Amino acid sequence: MFLRELAAPLDALRGAGPAVLKRLARLGLYTAADLLLFPPRDYEDRSAPIPLSGFGRGPVNCQATVMAHDWFGFGRMRTLKVWIEDGEGTRAALVCFNRPFLERQLPVGSAVRVFGRFEYKYGDLQSSSFDAIPAADGAAFSPEGVLPVYPLTDGLAQGTMRKLLAQALRLWGAVDDELPAAVRAARGLCRKAEALRMLHAPASPSEAAEARRALAYEELFYLQVMVGRRALERRRDPVARAAPVDTLARELEARLPFSLTADQRTVLAELAADMAGPWPMARLLQGDVGSGKTLVAFMAALHAIAAGGQAALMAPTELLARQHADTAARLLEPLGVRLAFLSGNVADAARKPLLAALSRGDIDLAIGTHALFSEDVAYRNLRFVVVDEQHRFGVLQRLAMGAKGNRPDLLMMSATPIPRSLALTVYGDLAVSVIRTMPEGRKPVVTHLARQGNEGRVYEFVRRELAAGRRAYFVYPLVERSDRVELKDAEAMYRRLRGEVFPEFRGGLIHARLPEADKRATMAAFTRGELSFIVATSVVEVGVDVPEATCMVIEHAERFGLAALHQLRGRVGRSTLQSYCFLVWSEKLGDEGKRRVMAMKETNDGFLIAEEDLRMRGPGEITGTAQAGSLRLAFADPVRDAGLLEAARADALAILEADPSLSGADGSVLRAVLDRASPFAERTAATG
Ligand code: ADP
Ligand code: MG
C-alpha cells in the first residue's frame, strides 16, 4: 500500500481515546497517513551517556540511585526534592514541581534513569525540567537513543505522541515505495518504509537527517511532476488564435506624455512574442514598485484587443482595481476600448447587464478583483489575463482564470522578487521578465529614521511639502485603539492630525473596515488633490499610484515587515519630484526591528530588500509563503533544500519527457499516487 492511501482512522491505536483523538485532530491528524507523516519538530539525542559532572556539556543522561526525599514549601505549594547520586558519586537534586507522584515512583534506594539539564543553584546541582524513569536495579545503563520531539497541543503529552507513533509504525509502517527505484538509487535515497522508521525512531541524528532528506525530496519531486505536467499540457496542443496586433498600443504610446523605458520596451516585445507563439503565454513580470508595470500590461492587453480578443486585469484589492480602472478610463477609453469594472461590491442590478455584455463580447477589457473569475462570469473570447500583485493570489485562483477562456495568455505581475528556488517551486512553469530600471527622472526616495517623541519635527517637514502643493500618507499599524497594546491607531491619529497638527489642510481616512464607497471617494479626492494627506493602515500598501504624493510617514515602523515597508515606501517617489519616507520607531524596536529600519534606510533596491528579508526571516518563513500560496510542504524547504529541489526538478522533467502520460512502468505508480490522493491538493483557501 502507498502511504497516502493509509486512511485508517487513529482510534485503532491503543491509548487513542476520544479525548486524545480530539487533540490529534487539532494538530490536523486524522488518519494513519497523517500521523506517520507528522514531522518531529526536533530530536533529543539520548544516545551518549553524560554523567552529572558533565552537566556543562549538555543535558545529563545517566543512571543514578535515589538517596533521599525532601520537601520544601507549604500546603498546596509543597514541592518534592529527590536527591540522587550517579556512578561517579556526584550528588544532585531533582526539583519535582507539580510532580508529587514521583515520591512513590522513585523510592529511596531505587535506581532511576535521568535525562535533563542541570545547573548550580543555591549551592546545589539541580534540575527542575527532567525526565526520570525508574530503572531495573543493578542493570547496566543503556542509552535510549534519539527521541523525536513533536509539536504538541494543550493536553497532549510528548510521551503519548511517542507511544502512538511507535504503534503506528508497527501497524502501518511497511508502506510501498512511490518514487521510481532508479531515481531513488541515483539520488541515494532510502526506501519509504525505512524513511518513516528513521523519522520517528532514528538510531542516530544522522538517520533522522537522512529520513528528512528522503521525504523532502519526495515532496519536491511530486511538486515538480505537477508543475512539469502543467507546462507540458500547455504546450500539448497549439492554440488557434489571431496574431496580436500592435496598432492600438502604438496609438497609446504616441499619446503618452513620456516615453517608455528600455526595459518596458524589451518586456513588451517578450510579451508580444509569446502572444504570437503557438502556445498560451505564462509569464511572470517582476519589477520594483513604481517601475511602470501597469502600462506594459495595458499595452500587451491592447495587442489582444486589437486582434479581436477580450482582456481581463485582476487586482488583489478593490482599491487597487478601482485605480487601474480609472487609469484605463484615462488612457484607453480615448482609443475606443470598451471597459467594465467588476468586484464583489458591484450591485446585482449593474452586474447582470455587465455579465451579459461580457459574454456577448461587448466589453474589451474587464478590470476588477477575483470576482472577474467567479463562476457566473463568462467571456466571449477571453484572450489575455493579467494578474497584478500576483503573490496575493493562490494557485487555484490562477487556474480558475485559465479555465475561463480558450486557454488565454497569462501575465502575472509582482513587485516582490522571489528567490529562484521558490520560483521553481511555486511558479516552475512560468517564464520570467524583469523591469530593472525606473522611468527617467525618478529620484530615489530619501529615507529618514525618527524616534517616537521626535515626530513633531517630521510633521513640520511634511507641512512644508503640503504647503508646496504636495501630498502625504501617514500609516499606522492599527485601525482603532486597542486596550492591549500601546500603539497609535489610524482613527485617533486622523483626528489628531486633522484637528491639531494640520488644521490648515484637508485630510482623509482609509482603512479596511470602512465601506468601499467611502474608501474610493477618499482615494479619488486625494488623487485629485482635494485632500492633502491620507491617514491609513497598510491598505495603501499595494499598488496605489498618486504621483504628487511625496511624503510617506510610517509610525511604529518596527511593527511592519520589510516587504510591507518597501511596498509602502513605493507609494511615493512616483514622479520627478523628490520624495521622502519617514520611519518613526518606538521603544519596542528590538533587534529585528532595528535591522529592518536600517535596511530600509540603506537601500531603495527592492531586489536587495527581498534578499535581506529572506535572510532575516529565514527559510521557515518562506515555506510559510509557499503554504499560504498554495501548497503544503511538511519536510521540504525550498530555500534550505535548493539543491534537492534542482535534483527533483531534473528527475521529474526527465520522467515526464520520456512518458508525459506517466503510464509507463515507474510512472504508473506516480500517477496512481498523484491521481488518487494528490499530496499537494491545491487548496482553495483565499489567500489575498
Ligand atoms: P508599478 O510597477 O509599481 O505597478 P506603476 O505601473 O503604478 O508602477 O507606475 C508608476 C507610475 O509611473 C505611474 O504613474 C505611471 O504612469 C508612471 N510611468 C510608467 N511608465 C513610465 C515611463 N516610461 N516614464 C515615466 N513615467 C512612467
Ligand atoms: Mg502596480
Side-chain angles (χ1 to χ4, degrees), residues 249-507:
R250 278 178 188 284
E251 219 179 300
L252 172 60
E253 192 180 345
R255 289 158 169 261
L256 290 174
F258 47 72
S259 52
L260 295 180
T261 64
D263 283 357
Q264 282 174 318
R265 247 179 249 290
T266 307
V267 170
L268 194 56
E270 286 169 348
L271 298 181
D274 279 3
M275 295 170 80
W279 299 292
M281 166 167 84
R283 196 171 271 276
L284 177 66
L285 170 53
Q286 299 196 334
D288 210 343
V289 285
S291 61
K293 297 184 290 293
T294 318
L295 185 61
V296 173
F298 280 153
M299 293 183 86
L302 287 178
H303 279 78
I305 293 166
Q310 286 175 303
L313 172 87
M314 175 166 83
T317 65
E318 173 134 10
L319 199 65
L320 185 52
R322 290 278 182 192
Q323 175 186 292
H324 285 326
D326 293 343
T327 310
R330 189 159 45 81
L331 294 180
L332 308 184
E333 242 163 21
L335 306 176
V337 174
R338 296 163 297 175
L339 301 171
F341 178 83
L342 190 60
S343 79
N345 289 317
V346 172
D348 267 352
R351 187 182 165 86
K352 285 230 173 66
L354 202 152
L355 296 191
L358 268 178
S359 69
R360 276 198 312 270
D362 292 349
I363 303 280
D364 301 313
L365 174 60
I367 297 178
T369 62
H370 60 272
L372 284 174
F373 296 97
S374 35
E375 228 165 301
D376 59 341
V377 182
Y379 294 82
R380 185 179 147 81
N381 180 20
L382 183 60
R383 166 80 203 267
F384 186 74
V385 173
V386 185
V387 185
D388 194 17
E389 307 289 347
Q390 60 84 29
H391 54 284
R392 301 249 165 171
F393 295 98
V395 172
L396 201 94
Q397 280 162 317
R398 255 170 60 186
L399 294 181
M401 287 163 241
K404 278 293 173 196
N406 178 27
R407 300 162 71 209
D409 287 318
L410 189 54
L411 174 64
M412 324 257 263
M413 304 202 294
S414 173
T416 311
I418 312 163
R420 178 179 151 75
S421 54
L422 192 59
L424 281 182
T425 318
V426 190
Y427 313 108
D429 56 338
L430 299 184
V432 179
S433 291
V434 183
I435 302 184
R436 288 195 194 281
T437 47
M438 289 288 170
E440 204 161 332
R442 293 278 171 86
K443 300 182 183 70
V445 177
V446 173
T447 301
H448 291 293
L449 308 185
R451 190 199 178 89
Q452 195 177 347
N454 294 343
E455 64 271 35
R457 304 235 300 272
V458 174
Y459 299 159
E460 280 320 301
F461 188 97
V462 173
R463 184 190 316 284
R464 286 200 295 276
E465 286 287 304
L466 297 184
R470 316 277 152 75
R471 282 160 237 168
Y473 299 94
F474 292 86
V475 176
Y476 299 89
L478 298 182
V479 172
E480 58 188 33
R481 209 182 110 71
S482 154
D483 290 332
R484 267 180 304 160
V485 271
E486 278 301 309
L487 290 177
K488 293 188 180 179
D489 62 275
E491 287 187 341
M493 285 308 293
Y494 171 57
R495 286 191 295 274
R496 172 138 182 259
L497 290 173
R498 203 182 47 167
E500 298 162 29
V501 183
F502 301 119
E504 71 273 40
F505 298 110
R506 289 170 50 102

Side-chain angles (χ1 to χ4, degrees), residues 102-237:
L102 287 180
E103 182 182 27
R104 248 176 305 121
Q105 282 182 12
L106 306 175
V108 174
S110 69
V112 57
R113 190 187 189 119
V114 176
F115 183 88
R117 294 198 175 273
F118 281 72
E119 58 178 345
Y120 265 106
K121 233 181 181 171
Y122 314 116
D124 293 322
L125 186 59
Q126 52 171 277
S127 174
S128 54
S129 72
F130 57 85
D131 271 2
I133 305 156
D137 214 2
F141 175 63
S142 68
E144 287 172 284
V146 180
L147 296 188
V149 181
Y150 296 98
L152 297 173
T153 179
D154 275 351
L156 192 64
Q158 200 55 255
T160 311
M161 276 307 274
R162 286 176 186 157
K163 279 187 198 141
L164 291 175
L165 255 313
Q167 275 187 73
L169 271 182
R170 277 199 304 277
L171 265 176
W172 301 306
V175 294
D176 289 335
D177 278 309
E178 296 163 29
L179 283 179
V183 168
R184 233 184 36 235
R187 301 294 173 191
L189 303 167
C190 61
R191 311 195 69 137
K192 182 90 176 233
E194 189 63 356
L196 293 179
R197 201 269 303 154
M198 296 194 301
L199 180 71
H200 298 293
S204 64
S206 68
E207 274 199 4
E210 202 183 325
R212 262 184 199 279
R213 181 169 166 269
L215 294 166
Y217 176 90
E218 201 179 298
E219 282 184 339
L220 295 169
F221 178 79
Y222 279 131
L223 196 60
Q224 292 304 322
V225 169
M226 285 199 3
V227 164
R229 257 178 151 185
R230 213 145 62 201
L232 284 180
E233 239 153 60
R234 206 177 56 239
R235 291 200 189 92
R236 200 178 43 212
D237 316 308

